[in-house]
């Protein structure tokens, strides 16, 4: 066991939990109406609590149990066999379990952005837990647990495919199944508190250091470089998005800048262990421009109310980065270099295949899970509840009490 | 007595308050409101979605005055609130039948 | 000196300070009326500042000086003899001092929840400093400084007795002495900003990793396991509390979920170095259910206005965990195992004795300190101040300025 | 390479980024009118993004390239030659680059406090980037990059001169050039959300552990002691400022307490590697009292609208600490001791010379940069925009949407 | 002239605004209020303590109109705000003695 | 009918509501306002800068009542809102020409 690596992963685990609670929760909550602020916070919080237990009970085993190329089996349910002294690589296995748990929390929490302001709370909890176990955990195994995508040579350092493509695609499917918010696209209401969104985004930025540099699972040069490219990409994404807004509307908005930053982060995630600083710069710029464009298209062309742009920012960003890693991993761009026998072309094939397989898997299973759950519980709230806001109706609370 | 309701631009509140003091009025009640009129709201754009915000922030000032003071009060408000730009607001004059000071029970002009 | 351990405790110190500032401060501030929001933040902030100085001047010496079984003496006042190279275990002593200081800050800050919205600010500061020196520091010595409770074999890894029982019991005593808020129980006003409470709670969750896993004072498997059981207990506590609310009111509230999480954290704290993941799960569930129940009882049956439920959540949670550790430390539950010669029965005896001694100590001294202080300064503000809110009256500021 | 040091600096980097985003952003945003809240957040955010890229492109090279006594040259532009395995001292060079980048972000962000509520956004971005490259990066080289001030023996552990004097002096110059806010000094509006300011201040406190203890660039006793003196100074600064307020107004405000804390932190920064705990206490108290006094003077005597007191708190605090280090570095005060051949007198001379040179450099160049930029872009917004608030006019957004 | 005060459900504001435009009214002032009436507030429960919130959020719309338009305005508001559920609100009609446009000084119906 | 507007201290709202219930009035509308009068605002000091806050928080209660009930309503509000301290507020009585219940279309006293 290596104490230094352990120290850094203990820290990274705290940072990644911080990304969801309160980071992502605030990022999302600032974007909805004030009557739904608590409901968004509660979605993220309840997902964190229930998914943690599900990860402990079964999902960790599916993801990282010994198993085969498809899943890890049930041998590690309830952390069976994992004691104070168990190790995983150079760190305690309990810590590896925790670090990975924080990824399992944030991934379904990302999906929340698709269905805010109109979904029933019971559905959110049930869906998220089942989705994490059935959709997410196997993908983790395929890519990081020694499964078939790992064997194919897929490069996904910190979760472009595992986290962002799964969440983004599933979000799109759910948004289509659920239908748009009342008044979409012309009369939905503007974000009630963009400052809250900025606070959450800032926490995501900071926490992402744990996400990406922590994925080195060591306190070394790889972690240092991962942090560097992550940061540069975030900054470049923010700038790219802002420039797009300036060109189009002559104003750069705070919500736009922070969204571009998140796009930059999603884009660099799969590449953060493979590319050098120039790669980080290019990926961030590309992420900002392309996610911006897709955001407009989903809303305006396809009229899909993926309310907080999960697909456009995370799904597209994650996929884009996964593809671009095949270019910028090359030592020609100061990247870490290809695995033996790989080149840009062959790597690109693997990357694309990984994206397609995981996207289809996520889409189909999300559709099935939601279709079945709808039979047993309310999917979408009734119109009166939607109009009044979910805080009072679902949770009996109000976000802001003044008088 | 008259009950005068003025809708003004928010940053004019202090000017109006001072102008009222200038004509001897030392009591008033203000509140935040949103106005719709010739001055249009702005379009706010978040992530490419355009939100038409139709109402603009205004402040409402309510002041009860003796009949004799009504005209000078209206004039004072108008002068203080005027920027000669669209959206400067309106002053409405209603008849006030009675006024009571809670603390003392005084009624009529004494209560103001 | 061990660099890895040092790196982790540097981080943990930051995390535990973060728990109070701004974590706990926000957690509490969201629960009061908007006219008292600054006063709550200021209480926590002023306690952090003044208690830090008192810890430096004298309390660290009382807690960790050489001394005897009862106190550490005055030999380490003003960090006398502690230089750049002094060590405590495997870390610099300056760092050990800092890490422990963050505990000394949060403990009196927890008590704030008992007396919000009606207490005089001067009293808060004077009481907190004196309480920390006279009540808290000796208990630290007894349990962690090699004092008599340590010799008895009391298991209290991160402060179930030291932090939560002392604060919880003292809070109850103060709340009774001070009397309820005007309008209690039927007409006090609802939390003005539950979202703020959730943000604070999230920070507590993240920071608690430093509190519990930091208490291992090393970056090793014990820290990893402490983090794991801490997290599982927090999640379980949140779920348990929410289920109780669902059964009773058919709605799960955000304030309830985050309170349950804190209950789960308070409960696991004393056990976090001793129990395995199953223990964490059980303690969290038990903490959620029992703290929920006691919360109702204190308010409804005993009509005590311990306004933000310090006793029910921290006092009871801490005591419960301290008792349950005697069961779940057993290797039968994958715990760390008993000390030589101990078994569940004998350990339970020690644990119960520790709780009782510390609870009585805290109650009696809190009563004495407050009784004396009342002679010299305002204890409770006058009715007009209470009605208007403390922000303006005590601090000359307003929480929210809009027009 | 040392893993433990790397682990701690990875963490410190996250902490220092956290100081700006969202820490400083919130600290400042709470102090302005509600119609300018987003503009302040956006200033800090945009600075973080653009300055990061400028640091990568050129400023890191100027600061830490090989160069000569005056600048580092252009050899490290675009991190040229820095790969996964490059080292700087005991940590990866990529990480050193990142850690230093977070300082390059916060320094221009500090200046934001001088010009809020009336400056054009384009100017903020252009000025900040140019200022960081031309003013800040050379000073970094002089002091930390082996430049002429380092050779003179200037003690500036974490940036009293490099960060606080540069930012504070430049802020004052900009505030004078820009002119006061409409209504200053009698009719500007009070802080719209002091609680937000307190949250930001708390984050600054926590993050400052990374700033100062991280500046040890190691996880060792020096880091532990730096954290200790930093904390004690912060606490002392808060207390000193509050006592000043109590003496004068009989009320201690939250905004005052947190400002005093920041003053204490700015003051200890240059000294945090040199002084012992007693030094920390004295510097904090001195910082609180003197920054308080200068704050009043700048506003009331000189009628300069350095709106959020950047000069009085950071400039004066940083300079004060830089001077006092010459006293408290002495082993007589348990400090780290003088460099060979130095004593209080000679050290004081060096410190004073460092302050003066850097202050003049900052003032002159700030004046020149702003004067040139004014020719090409709007400096100050028109009156209508100022009255309405910058959020809507500059960014097309509103901070709070309720109806 | 008449000064019409309508208390409506918050989400009906846009409908009312459009309805008023339909009868030629292009100016109005809205504000957030809390209403008490047959529609009762809800009990909110925090940590087992029950808070009876007696007031429910409403929006108040104030619109000054010429005498002739008053009836159609009342009718328009009523139609737009009606959901046939309790708590839909009230419309109050007061007499308005005078109105002044701040910007121009116009008075009477011209000022509206 | 009368349209009664009362400016009261914020913490008196519940008392006023109960007092109105006592005289049979079960409908009213409340809102947050800021008042200026003999009760002066406070000086707030932030970092040594003094901000004179001229307005103090008040609550406005609006209640429409039948003519016959007007006096007892005024009396009830006055008693409930009175603390005998400066700033207790005012009650204004305006004439109300008509009232309409949105849901049913009832008019006049029935609508209240
Ligand atoms: N008929 C009306 N009834 C009530 N309020 C009105 C009316 N017309 C305008 N207002 C208020 O007056 C404000 C200013 O009116 P507007 O038409 O924008 O400009 P101007 O006052 O220059 O004519 C509006 O925002 C609205 O609050
Ligand atoms: N007498 C009254 N005076 C002023 N406002 C009233 C009065 N009665 C009702 N209101 C307002 O109208 C709203 C709706 O009234 P309510 O009795 O709940 O339902 P309905 O409009 O269906 O009769 C209330 O919330 C309140 O704001
Ligand atoms: N002439 C007035 N018109 C409208 N509102 C007034 C007037 N005078 C006072 N008020 C309101 O009544 C409140 C209380 O008045 P104030 O003069 O402070 O005390 P008191 O009610 O004891 O005379 C003020 O804050 C203001 O809201």
């Amino acid at each position: 066991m290596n104490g230094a690596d352990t120290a850094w992963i203990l820290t990274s685990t705290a940072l990644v939990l911080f990304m969801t609670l309160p980071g992502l929760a605030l990022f999302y909550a600032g974007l909805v109406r004030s009557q739904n602020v608590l409901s968004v916070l509660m979605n993220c919080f309840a997902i964190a609590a229930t998914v943690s237990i599900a990860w402990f009970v079964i999902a960790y085993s599916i993801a990282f149990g010994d198993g085969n190329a498809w899943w890890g089996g049930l041998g590690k349910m309830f952390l069976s066999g994992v004691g104070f002294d168990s190790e995983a690589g150079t760190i305690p296995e309990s810590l590896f379990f925790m670090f990975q748990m924080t990824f399992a929390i944030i991934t379904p929490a990302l999906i929340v952005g698709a269905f805010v302001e109109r979904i029933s709370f019971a559905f959110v909890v049930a869906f998220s837990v089942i989705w994490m176990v059935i959709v997410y955990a196997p993908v983790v195994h395929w890519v990081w647990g020694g499964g078939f995508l790992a064997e194919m040579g897929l490069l996904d350092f910190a979760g472009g495919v595992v986290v962002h493509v799964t969440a983004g695609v599933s979000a799109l499917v759910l948004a289509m199944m659920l239908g748009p918010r009342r008044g979409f696209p012309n009369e939905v209401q503007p974000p009630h508190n963009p400052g809250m969104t900025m606070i959450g985004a800032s926490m995501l930025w900071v926490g992402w250091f744990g996400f990406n540099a922590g994925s080195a699972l060591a306190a070394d040069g790889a972690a240092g470089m991962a942090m560097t490219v992550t940061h540069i990409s975030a900054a470049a994404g923010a700038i790219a998005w802002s420039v797009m807004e300036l060109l189009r509307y002559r104003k750069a908005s705070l919500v736009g800048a922070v969204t571009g930053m998140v796009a930059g982060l999603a884009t660099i995630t799969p590449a953060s262990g493979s590319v050098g600083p120039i790669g980080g710069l290019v990926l961030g710029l590309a992420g900002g421009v392309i996610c911006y464009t897709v955001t407009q298209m989903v809303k305006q062309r396809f009229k899909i109310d993926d309310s907080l742009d999960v697909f456009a920012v995370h799904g597209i960003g994650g996929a884009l980065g996964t593809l671009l890693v095949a270019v910028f991993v090359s030592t020609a761009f100061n990247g870490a270099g290809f695995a033996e026998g790989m080149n840009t072309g062959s790597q690109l094939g693997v990357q694309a295949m990984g994206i397609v397989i995981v996207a289809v898997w996520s889409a189909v299973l999300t559709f099935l899970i939601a279709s079945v759950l709808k039979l047993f519980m309310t999917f979408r709230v009734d119109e009166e509840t939607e109009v009044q806001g979910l805080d009072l109706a679902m949770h009996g609370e109000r976000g802001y009490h003044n008088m | 007595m008259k009950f005068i309701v003025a809708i003004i631009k928010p940053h004019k509140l202090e000017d109006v308050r001072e102008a009222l003091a200038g004509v001897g009025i030392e009591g008033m009640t203000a509140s935040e409101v949103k106005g719709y009129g010739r001055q249009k709201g702005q379009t706010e754009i978040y992530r490419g979605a355009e939100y038409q915000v139709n109402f603009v922030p205004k402040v409402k000032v309510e002041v009860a005055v003796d009949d004799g003071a009504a005209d000078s009060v209206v004039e004072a408000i108008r002068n203080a609130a005027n920027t000669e730009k669209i959206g400067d607001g309106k002053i409405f004059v209603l008849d006030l039948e009675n006024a009571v000071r809670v603390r003392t029970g005084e009624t009529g002009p004494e209560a103001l």
Side-chain angles (χ1 to χ4, degrees), chain A residues 217-271:
Chain A
L217 291 171
D220 60 7
M225 190 56 88
M227 189 179 267
T228 302
V229 301
T230 297
H231 186 88
I232 291 176
S233 184
I239 294 171
W241 190 294
S242 295
V243 169
M244 296 298 282
E245 284 190 352
L246 278 169
L247 294 177
R248 174 118 177 233
Y249 304 110
R250 319 209 41 159
K251 280 178 190 168
S253 70
L254 178 61
V255 167
V258 303
T259 307
M261 178 214 80
V262 173
L265 288 169
T267 305
I268 195 67
T269 293

Side-chain angles (χ1 to χ4, degrees), chain A residues 204-219:
Chain A
L204 285 171
W205 193 337
V206 172
W208 223 293
F209 286 175
F211 201 90
N212 285 3
S215 287
L217 291 171

Side-chain angles (χ1 to χ4, degrees), chain A residues 57-386:
Chain A
V57 172
I58 184 163
Y60 176 69
S61 186
I62 294 176
F64 291 106
D66 295 331
N68 54 33
W70 310 102
W71 74 321
L74 301 176
K76 294 209 166 179
M77 281 179 65
F78 289 97
L79 274 177
S80 153
V82 178
F84 288 77
D85 299 328
S86 312
E87 298 184 12
T90 61
I91 63 171
E93 184 167 356
S94 57
L95 177 57
F96 179 72
F97 162 87
M98 279 300 295
F99 180 63
Q100 287 294 338
M101 177 194 276
T102 57
F103 284 63
I105 289 171
I106 201 167
T107 309
L110 286 173
I111 303 178
V112 166
F115 50 58
V116 293
E117 312 207 72
R118 60 201 188 281
I119 202 163
S120 109
F121 176 61
F123 188 92
V124 171
V125 174
F127 176 83
S128 300
V129 170
I130 295 171
W131 183 91
M132 193 279 287
V133 173
I134 297 187
V135 181
Y136 175 77
V139 175
V140 172
H141 186 76
W142 303 345
V143 180
W144 294 334
F148 77 97
L149 290 174
E151 277 163 25
M152 274 170 48
L154 181 73
L155 291 175
D156 185 7
F157 190 67
V161 168
V162 176
V163 171
H164 296 283
V165 169
T166 57
V169 169
S170 300
L172 192 70
V173 172
L174 270 188
M176 289 193 293
M177 293 177 75
L178 189 59
R181 286 167 293 173
R182 194 172 166 278
F184 178 87
N186 295 321
E187 285 185 26
V188 293
Q189 291 194 15
H192 90 286
N193 193 332
M196 185 181 271
T197 296
M198 182 274 185
I199 303 173
S202 297
M203 291 173 173
L204 285 171
W205 193 337
V206 172
W208 223 293
F209 286 175
F211 201 90
N212 285 3
S215 287
L217 291 171
D220 60 7
M225 190 56 88
M227 189 179 267
T228 302
V229 301
T230 297
H231 186 88
I232 291 176
S233 184
I239 294 171
W241 190 294
S242 295
V243 169
M244 296 298 282
E245 284 190 352
L246 278 169
L247 294 177
R248 174 118 177 233
Y249 304 110
R250 319 209 41 159
K251 280 178 190 168
S253 70
L254 178 61
V255 167
V258 303
T259 307
M261 178 214 80
V262 173
L265 288 169
T267 305
I268 195 67
T269 293
S272 51
S274 312
V275 306
I278 296 285
L281 184 64
V282 175
L283 263 71
L285 293 172
V289 171
I290 292 181
C291 294
Y292 174 85
T293 311
V294 178
T295 297
Q296 316 279 316
M297 279 169 52
V298 171
K299 269 188 204 114
Q300 289 165 12
R301 179 104 55 92
F302 302 113
K303 308 267 182 238
I304 299 171
D305 186 15
D306 173 11
S307 311
L308 311 181
D309 307 303
V310 186
F311 176 73
V313 173
H314 294 279
I316 294 297
L320 178 68
T322 303
L323 293 175
L324 288 179
V325 74
V327 178
F328 290 94
V329 67
S330 162
T331 49
F333 297 103
N334 291 321
F338 290 102
E340 242 193 72
M342 280 287 190
N343 57 34
T344 295
S346 61
Q347 187 70 53
L348 205 56
V350 172
Q351 301 296 99
M353 182 141 23
I355 294 170
V356 171
I357 290 171
V358 170
V360 171
W361 168 260
S362 302
V364 171
L365 278 179
T366 295
F367 179 78
L368 290 178
I369 297 170
S371 300
V372 172
L373 279 179
K374 275 168 67 173
L375 305 176
F376 298 103
M377 53 179 69
T378 309
F379 185 26
R380 182 175 178 136
V381 301
D382 60 46
E383 197 185 306
E384 178 151 348
T385 302
E386 186 178 346

Side-chain angles (χ1 to χ4, degrees), chain B residues 7 33-40 56 58 85-90 92:
Chain B
I7 314 291
V33 299
K34 313 229 172 185
Y36 180 76
R38 292 181 204 193
Q39 182 197 4
K40 296 299 174 210
V56 290
K58 299 279 170 196
K85 299 230 181 68
I86 238 172
D88 276 352
K90 317 270 179 196
F92 302 118

